[in-house]
């Protein structure tokens, strides 16, 4: 690991180390700040600590700037009551309090105006209010929450027991890491990087290898940056001079050059400015000025809680204003809150302030966006840039597949989105940035959401401070060639193919193929699996199937125009699908089966439809004929014949039982004559119904049939006779009360004609006659 200690500093530390080790019998009182007189003579620490094996799963030590469900404080308070009010308006407050103090805590909070719906009291005895130092260290072991306990570096058994209290409170595992440590001397980035100063080595027998091993095995911290203590004060806690603001951002205090400690702060700042963060480039180091001396300026001892930062204010207003401005610059979009503490007994100190007295409680159900291979600097030219990220939904809920996105802006333009699809590796997805030119400046961030309602971005600042890279200068060469670019479909269930050839210099990823659902196009089951990587010079063929069609709206021309969309790493491409309109022309059709059953006196209905969905040609219904030997039906038409039925229009025939003949079900056939030809409807009438209605006693006769000139229509109950030809034209129409009507057909064209007879009760019957 890169170390930043100078040779002189290393030699000095070695001297101190040997001297301290030789005089181990004498306690180092400076490192035991805040100790009572009794504690100063108590060298026992961790009396109730229980060591365990490390987690068997992969541990992830959650960073302070990640989503928090709550914040831990202790009562009696070490922070102003007004701050408790603000914290309870941000998230849930978990207050450790002994049972004897709980009523007092409740009254204090209520009187201060704290939202008590956001407060939970956890009963346990404590020795101090520095919950940052002794509070639980939360981790995820794979996808489950857990706590890591360590030996608290103070002889305070009640404080040291608090991790176990919360392991029981949450009913989650607790692992015992046998290291003497303290929360104020630990900061982590949530991606496996951590920082402490040299105190952690000193307090663990100067066995640095053991320290690093434990931090890796129990917390997943590797690399572990162990620095000098630039403050050089008794406490030696990293949060008194530095702070992680994001995985790639660190805040470090700065003193005036005249201050004797100035060089040590600069040494630490230079170390991080030349050390890579977890994303592969050097940390962005932000500096917050402190006046030094006894002027209060505890700015790095702040609390990040969700999208708010609570910054302890000092005694110099100019330095206060500048410190808040540094936070705002480093954390755009966050609420930066300055917090005063003028209570004499618990006021802030440069070595102990707001951070020391609070501790975040991670959101056990958070969504973690882990885009580890961040793209930065100048990139070698490629047609598209893959952005790979893991999405971990700790809630256990499913990810929203349509909400895993890469947002990107090219040369300062509006943000575009690229949907991310699975790579095949666990929890890993990829999206592609495309459409840039050589020399383009590209900003981007990754967004995810899950079904539990959790959302997260990386970076957390999104477009306010996105990832950034530059594409090298490049002259485009080659293209993705599609052959043919138009597919012609002339029959239903037709299959056509197109071929892609990669004539660029780089691989092209086909991430998705969208088939036009308006026209029921689909890919063949034997097509290559998507996503598909097409190497430079390679070809691939895809089959497109035109399946059972849906019915699109009318358009002009002979063909409907559909499309197949290809989402590729060099942008969207399209293949046109031309579908002949008359593929959809079904003519006059029956809605439902052609078998119709009349079961009761209410009758039933037959529904016809003009199925010319392609050409939209009108069909004329000219007449309807009952072909049975005996009329057993009465039917009513929705429209008077002849009737022009337009495309997609319906025509209803209401059918009723008419007269008895025979036994059981009686069968007949209705023939619908139209300009589209003949359509047959097969009708069965329950014979029980036939005796329950009035009888038509007189048989209808038409003779001679075929006819060479005059023919006769005979029925005892006639009121009207009408004759139509097969194209729906009426050639004869006569009202009559006679039993016999003679009709002259000598001038008619030869062919089939439909004779409709209406009786005096309004029932109509149709018969067919052939004229020669």
């Amino acid at each position: 690991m890169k170390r930043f200690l100078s040779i002189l500093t290393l030699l000095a530390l070695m001297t101190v180390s040997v001297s301290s080790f030789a005089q181990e019998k004498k306690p180092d009182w400076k490192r035991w700040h805040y100790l009572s007189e009794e504690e100063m003579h108590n060298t026992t620490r961790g009396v109730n600590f229980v060591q365990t094996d490390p987690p068997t799963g992969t541990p992830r030590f959650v960073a302070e700037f990640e989503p928090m469900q709550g914040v831990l404080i202790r009562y009696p308070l070490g922070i102003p009551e007004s701050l408790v009010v603000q914290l309870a308006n941000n998230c849930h407050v978990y207050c450790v309090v002994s049972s004897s103090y709980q009523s007092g805590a409740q009254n204090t909070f209520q009187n201060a105006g704290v939202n008590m719906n956001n407060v939970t009291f956890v009963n346990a005895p404590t020795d101090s209010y520095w919950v940052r130092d002794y509070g639980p260290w939360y981790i995820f072991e794979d996808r489950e929450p857990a706590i890591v306990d360590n030996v608290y570096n103070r002889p305070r058994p009640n404080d040291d027991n608090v991790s176990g209290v919360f392991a029981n409170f949450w009913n989650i595992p607790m692992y015992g890491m046998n290291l003497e440590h303290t929360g104020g001397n630990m900061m982590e980035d949530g991606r496996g990087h951590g920082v402490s100063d040299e105190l952690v080595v000193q307090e663990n027998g100067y066995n640095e290898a053991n320290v690093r091993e434990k931090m890796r095995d129990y917390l997943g911290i590797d690399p572990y940056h162990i620095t000098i203590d630039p403050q050089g004060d008794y406490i030696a806690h990293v949060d008194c001079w530095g702070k992680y603001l994001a995985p790639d951002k660190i805040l470090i205090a700065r003193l005036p050059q005249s201050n004797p400690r100035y060089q040590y702060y600069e040494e630490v700042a230079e170390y991080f400015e030349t050390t890579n963060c977890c994303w592969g480039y050097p940390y962005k180091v932000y500096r917050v000025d402190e006046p030094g001396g006894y002027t209060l300026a505890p700015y790095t001892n702040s609390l990040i809680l969700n999208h708010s930062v609570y910054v302890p204010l000092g005694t110099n207003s100019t330095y206060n204003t500048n410190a808040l401005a540094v936070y705002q610059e480093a954390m755009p979009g966050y609420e930066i809150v300055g917090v005063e503490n003028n209570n004499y007994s618990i006021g802030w100190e440069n070595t102990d302030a707001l951070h020391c007295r609070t501790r975040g409680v991670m959101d056990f159900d958070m969504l973690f966006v882990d885009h580890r291979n961040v793209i930065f600097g100048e990139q070698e030219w490629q047609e598209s840039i893959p952005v790979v990220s893991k999405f971990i939904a700790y809630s256990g809920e499913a990810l929203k597949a349509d909400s895993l996105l890469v947002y990107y802006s090219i040369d300062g333009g509006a943000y575009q989105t690229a949907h991310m699809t699975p790579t095949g590796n666990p929890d890993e997805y990829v999206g592609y940035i495309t459409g840039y030119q050589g020399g383009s400046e590209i900003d981007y961030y990754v967004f995810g959401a899950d079904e539990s309602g959790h959302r997260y971005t990386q970076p957390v600042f999104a477009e306010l401070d996105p990832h950034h890279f530059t594409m090298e200068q490049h002259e485009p060469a080659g293209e993705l060639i599609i052959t043919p670019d138009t597919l012609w479909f002339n029959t239903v269930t037709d299959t056509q193919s197109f071929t892609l050839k990669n004539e660029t210099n780089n691989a092209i990823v086909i991430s998705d193929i969208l088939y036009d659902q308006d026209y029921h196009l689909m890919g063949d089951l034997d097509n290559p699996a998507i996503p598909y990587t097409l190497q430079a010079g390679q070809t691939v063929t895809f089959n497109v199937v035109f399946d059972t069609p849906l019915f699109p709206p009318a358009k002009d021309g002979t063909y409907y125009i559909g499309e197949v969309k290809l989402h590729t790493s060099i942008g969207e491409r399209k293949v046109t699908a031309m579908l002949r309109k008359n593929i959809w022309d079904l003519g006059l059709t029956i809605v439902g089966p052609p078998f119709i059953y009349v079961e009761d006196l209410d009758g039933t209905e037959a529904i016809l439809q003009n199925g010319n969905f392609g050409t939209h040609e009108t069909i004329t219904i000219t007449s309807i004929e009952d072909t049975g030997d005996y009329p057993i039906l009465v039917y009513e038409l929705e429209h008077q014949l002849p009737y022009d039925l337009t495309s997609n229009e319906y025509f209803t025939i209401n059918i009723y039982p008419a007269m008895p003949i025979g036994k059981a079900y009686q069968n007949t056939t209705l023939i619908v004559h139209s300009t589209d030809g003949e359509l047959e409807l097969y009708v069965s009438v329950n014979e029980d119904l036939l005796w329950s209605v009035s009888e038509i006693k007189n048989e209808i006769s038409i003779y001679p049939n075929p006819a060479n000139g005059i023919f006769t229509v005979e029925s005892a109950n006639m009121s009207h006779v009408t004759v139509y030809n097969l194209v729906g034209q009426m050639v004869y129409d006569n009202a009559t009360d006679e039993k016999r009507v003679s009709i002259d057909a000598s001038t008619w064209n030869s062919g089939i004609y439909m004779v409709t007879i209406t009786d005096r009760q309004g029932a109509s019957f149709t018969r067919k006659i052939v004229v020669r």
Side-chain angles (χ1 to χ4, degrees):
M1 170 179 297
K2 189 191 302 183
R3 301 296 299 273
F4 64 90
L5 298 177
S6 66
I7 298 297
L8 290 176
T9 305
L10 283 171
L11 290 173
L13 280 176
M14 291 173 63
T15 304
V16 172
S17 299
V18 172
S19 173
S20 299
F21 193 77
Q23 301 177 23
E24 188 68 8
K25 293 181 180 179
K26 292 185 178 181
D28 184 352
W29 304 120
K30 279 190 174 183
R31 294 208 316 269
W32 291 25
H33 182 58
Y34 307 132
L35 297 179
S36 65
E37 184 71 26
E38 180 183 354
E39 288 174 328
M40 288 184 181
H41 299 283
N42 184 348
T43 59
T44 62
R45 280 164 282 181
V47 292
N48 296 324
F49 172 79
V50 177
Q51 182 177 349
T52 71
D53 290 334
T56 56
T58 301
R60 187 175 81 83
F61 196 4
V62 172
E64 179 180 338
F65 45 75
E66 294 191 59
M68 295 287 153
Q69 62 170 294
V71 62
L72 176 63
I73 63 174
R74 177 265 201 183
Y75 188 90
L77 293 173
I79 58 176
E81 296 164 12
S82 58
L83 178 57
V84 181
V85 174
Q86 295 181 73
L87 297 178
N89 289 333
N90 182 309
C91 60
H92 207 84
V93 173
Y94 297 95
C95 181
V96 184
V97 60
S98 64
S99 54
S100 59
Y101 277 108
Q102 180 167 334
S103 62
Q106 227 160 350
N107 292 335
T108 299
F109 290 176
Q110 287 173 343
N111 292 337
V114 174
N115 179 1
M116 300 305 292
N117 292 326
N118 278 353
V119 175
T120 295
F121 293 106
V122 180
N123 291 137
T126 55
D127 302 307
S128 67
Y129 50 60
W130 292 290
V131 293
R132 170 67 50 181
D133 292 342
Y134 60 75
W137 291 14
Y138 291 100
I139 67 166
F140 283 108
E141 181 184 4
D142 295 331
R143 295 176 183 269
E144 299 300 323
I147 287 174
V148 173
D149 187 27
N150 58 274
V151 178
Y152 181 35
N153 69 346
R154 295 289 185 270
R156 296 170 183 158
N158 289 323
D159 289 350
D160 205 8
N161 290 339
V162 166
S163 290
V165 170
F166 276 88
N168 291 330
F169 178 80
W170 297 116
N171 192 27
I172 60 177
M174 185 172 78
Y175 297 98
M177 178 179 67
N178 193 11
L179 279 185
E180 191 171 320
H181 215 327
T182 180
N185 193 32
M186 183 67 216
M187 62 178 179
E188 65 281 351
D189 71 348
R191 272 86 173 165
H193 290 222
V195 179
S196 297
D197 68 34
E198 58 204 0
L199 177 66
V200 68
V201 176
Q202 296 169 11
E203 291 187 325
N204 288 280
Y206 294 90
N207 188 341
E208 184 174 329
N210 177 58
V211 170
R212 294 185 183 281
E213 179 184 10
K214 292 287 196 302
M215 296 296 287
R216 182 188 66 243
D217 293 348
Y218 286 82
L219 297 167
I221 296 297
D222 187 15
Y224 189 26
H225 304 286
I226 301 177
T227 76
I228 62 170
D229 170 27
Q231 192 176 36
D233 214 327
Y234 56 83
I235 193 167
H237 282 189
V238 67
D239 63 359
C240 294
W241 55 263
K243 186 178 191 67
Y244 266 125
L245 304 179
D248 62 341
K249 296 182 179 183
I250 285 183
L251 179 70
I252 295 176
R254 178 168 55 199
L255 296 178
Q257 291 189 25
S258 58
N259 191 291
R261 303 299 302 180
Y262 168 80
Q263 62 177 330
Y264 301 107
Y265 281 85
E266 296 311 297
E267 195 172 339
V268 173
E270 182 182 359
Y271 171 74
F272 285 109
E273 288 169 345
T274 57
T275 297
N276 285 346
C277 69
C278 66
W279 292 335
Y281 51 82
Y283 283 99
K284 301 171 187 176
V285 177
Y286 294 83
R287 307 301 301 275
V288 58
D289 288 317
E290 297 180 356
Y294 294 104
T295 303
L296 182 64
Y299 305 125
T300 63
N301 207 253
S302 62
L303 173 68
I304 302 173
L305 194 60
N306 298 318
H307 273 78
S308 298
V309 186
Y310 301 95
V311 182
L313 297 179
T315 52
N316 184 303
S317 60
T318 300
Y319 279 91
N320 289 346
T321 300
N322 292 341
L324 297 178
V326 170
Y327 273 99
Q328 196 66 78
E329 177 190 357
M331 307 182 76
Y334 275 64
E335 179 189 25
I336 310 300
V337 182
V339 182
E340 294 182 339
N341 186 0
N342 299 318
N343 186 312
Y344 175 77
S345 62
I346 60 167
W348 305 140
E349 299 182 31
N350 284 332
T351 53
D352 164 37
L354 198 158
H355 191 257
C356 295
R357 308 176 194 187
T358 57
R359 188 172 191 94
V361 180
M362 74 180 190
D363 183 353
F364 294 168
D365 294 328
M366 73 171 71
L367 175 66
F368 181 45
V369 178
D370 190 10
H371 167 44
R372 195 64 62 97
N373 297 321
V374 168
I375 306 162
F376 61 92
E378 184 176 84
Q379 295 294 306
E380 182 179 348
W381 173 264
Q382 47 191 306
E383 298 287 347
S384 65
I385 292 287
V387 178
V388 180
S389 179
K390 288 188 175 182
F391 295 89
I392 310 294
Y394 290 112
S395 64
E397 296 291 334
L399 298 170
K400 288 188 173 181
D402 61 349
S403 297
L404 307 179
L405 304 169
V406 179
Y407 285 83
Y408 63 96
S409 166
I410 300 173
D411 294 323
Y415 270 86
Q416 308 173 56
T417 58
H419 285 268
M420 305 184 77
T421 56
T423 65
N425 296 323
D427 307 313
E428 190 177 79
Y429 293 77
V430 63
Y432 293 89
I433 297 176
T434 61
Y436 45 77
Q437 305 296 323
S440 287
E441 300 283 335
I442 300 165
D443 295 323
Y444 78 97
Y445 63 94
V446 180
F447 170 84
D450 66 23
E451 295 293 348
S452 72
H454 287 77
R455 303 153 60 90
Y456 207 58
T457 62
Q458 182 190 314
V460 69
F461 313 107
E463 69 257 30
L464 296 177
D465 191 4
H467 294 306
H468 177 84
F469 68 93
T470 302
M471 182 53 62
E472 73 172 4
Q473 293 293 339
H474 173 74
E475 292 297 327
E479 180 52 280
L480 179 64
I481 304 301
I482 304 175
T483 308
D485 60 4
T486 302
L487 306 178
W488 297 84
F489 294 90
N490 292 300
T491 62
V492 177
T493 69
D494 196 3
T495 298
Q496 300 290 333
S497 302
F498 64 89
T499 298
L500 306 178
K501 183 176 181 181
N502 181 359
E503 293 190 355
T504 72
N505 299 323
N506 301 287
I508 296 175
V509 177
I510 304 164
S511 58
D512 202 4
I513 300 182
L514 301 180
Y515 299 92
D516 200 327
Q517 292 303 299
D518 282 345
Y519 304 100
H520 218 233
L521 299 174
M522 61 180 61
D524 192 280
L525 294 176
D526 294 328
N527 281 350
I530 298 297
Y532 183 86
T533 300
L534 190 63
Q535 301 297 334
Q538 184 183 2
T539 61
V540 64
T541 298
F542 290 91
N543 296 321
V544 182
V545 179
F546 174 39
D547 199 8
T548 305
L550 302 178
F551 306 127
K555 297 181 182 178
D556 295 332
T558 306
Y559 286 88
Y560 290 114
I561 302 175
E563 63 185 16
V564 179
K565 291 183 181 179
L566 308 173
H567 290 171
T568 80
S569 54
I570 61 169
E572 185 178 270
R573 301 292 188 269
K574 295 181 181 179
V575 176
T576 301
M578 303 294 291
L579 305 111
R580 187 178 292 276
K581 284 186 175 184
N582 62 13
I583 292 174
W584 283 277
D585 286 345
L586 305 178
L588 187 64
T589 62
I590 304 168
V591 179
F595 302 100
I596 299 170
Y597 297 92
V598 181
E599 297 284 1
D600 55 42
L601 295 177
D602 292 332
T604 188
E605 62 182 18
I607 300 176
L608 310 180
Q609 184 181 25
N610 181 344
N612 288 337
F613 303 112
T615 60
H616 304 283
E617 182 180 349
T618 297
I619 297 173
T620 301
I621 301 175
T622 56
S623 61
I624 298 177
E625 175 187 4
D626 183 352
T627 65
D629 293 334
Y630 301 97
I632 59 172
L633 299 178
V634 176
Y635 49 87
E636 296 177 353
L637 306 181
E638 182 179 17
H639 302 285
Q640 184 176 352
L641 298 182
Y643 182 77
D644 293 335
L645 194 64
T646 60
S647 174
N648 206 27
E649 185 183 1
Y650 297 96
F651 185 90
T652 301
I653 305 172
N654 295 308
I655 302 172
Y656 306 96
M659 66 174 289
I661 294 197
K663 300 292 182 181
Y665 279 90
Q666 302 304 312
N667 301 315
T668 189
T669 301
L670 290 181
I671 299 179
V672 180
H673 298 273
S674 73
T675 52
D676 192 54
E678 294 183 353
L679 182 67
E680 294 185 341
L681 296 168
Y682 305 102
V683 183
S684 291
V685 182
N686 187 336
E687 66 91 18
D688 291 337
L689 299 176
L690 302 179
W691 298 96
S692 63
V693 295
S694 61
E695 298 178 11
I696 298 176
K697 296 180 179 179
N698 296 306
E699 182 180 354
I700 296 173
S701 297
I702 300 177
Y703 56 90
N705 192 1
N708 287 312
I710 296 174
F711 65 93
T712 300
V713 179
E714 182 176 335
S715 177
N717 198 23
M718 285 193 299
S719 66
H720 205 108
V721 178
T722 310
V723 182
Y724 297 90
N725 63 22
L726 285 185
V727 294
Q729 297 171 322
M730 186 170 62
V731 296
Y732 180 86
D733 182 54
N734 185 34
T736 182
D737 56 1
E738 301 292 332
K739 296 181 180 180
R740 186 180 296 108
V741 174
S742 294
I743 299 173
D744 185 3
S746 59
T747 61
W748 299 357
N749 294 327
S750 298
I752 299 173
Y753 291 80
M754 309 308 299
V755 182
T756 299
I757 302 98
T758 304
D759 68 14
R760 296 189 182 107
Q761 287 74 41
S764 295
F765 304 90
T766 301
R767 294 290 184 267
K768 180 168 61 177
I769 186 169
V770 177
V771 175
R772 292 176 176 171

